[in-house]
Amino acid sequence: MINVGNFTSINKPMGRLGTPAEPTLPARPADRAVADRPHPDDARTGHLGGLAAAAAIMLSWLAALPGRLGDRLFAMNDNEAYWRDWQITRTHGGFGRRYRDPSFDLPPEYREPPAPGG
């Protein structure tokens, strides 16, 4: 037999077959007021905010990881580019670099001559 009179089991907790549900006493008005009062240390809101903050910190750390790895991988090339006053463009999320000499913007007669023997 299927009981369709209370299909959401409101006020009728589901138990094992053959065991009746335990009766509950009605709550006193004072207990209801205490239960409904918001508490500053409520675990339902405090832990969720902490978990969201921890997740945001972890995701930002993971998102910055490729850039930090690329900075370490290209450190020697970046130092030489800074020394030569080249423009450095980070590409592919930090895993690539593009170096450009800004003197190529000048007409050929205004560029520095190449170093002898080089």
Side-chain angles (χ1 to χ4, degrees):
M1 180 170 136
I2 299 174
N3 182 7
V4 293
N6 191 9
F7 65 95
T8 59
S9 299
I10 297 174
N11 298 331
K12 192 176 193 184
M14 297 290 288
R16 294 185 315 192
L17 292 176
T19 33
E22 296 180 15
T24 58
L25 298 174
R28 299 186 315 238
D31 293 340
R32 250 187 259 126
V34 170
D36 293 340
R37 184 182 324 144
H39 194 273
D41 295 332
D42 193 2
R44 290 175 290 187
T45 59
H47 290 300
L48 185 60
L51 284 175
I57 290 170
M58 181 60 93
L59 287 175
S60 67
W61 183 82
L62 286 173
L65 192 61
R68 289 195 309 260
L69 184 63
D71 288 342
R72 192 173 270 214
L73 182 66
F74 292 105
M76 193 166 59
N77 297 348
D78 289 347
N79 284 336
E80 183 177 354
Y82 284 126
W83 180 73
R84 295 180 183 268
D85 290 329
W86 288 354
Q87 297 171 346
I88 302 169
T89 306
R90 295 173 63 178
T91 61
H92 304 292
F95 280 123
R97 294 286 194 273
R98 185 175 297 140
Y99 301 102
R100 185 176 178 282
D101 188 358
S103 67
F104 288 127
D105 292 337
L106 300 173
E109 57 269 8
Y110 292 110
R111 292 185 198 153
E112 288 185 29

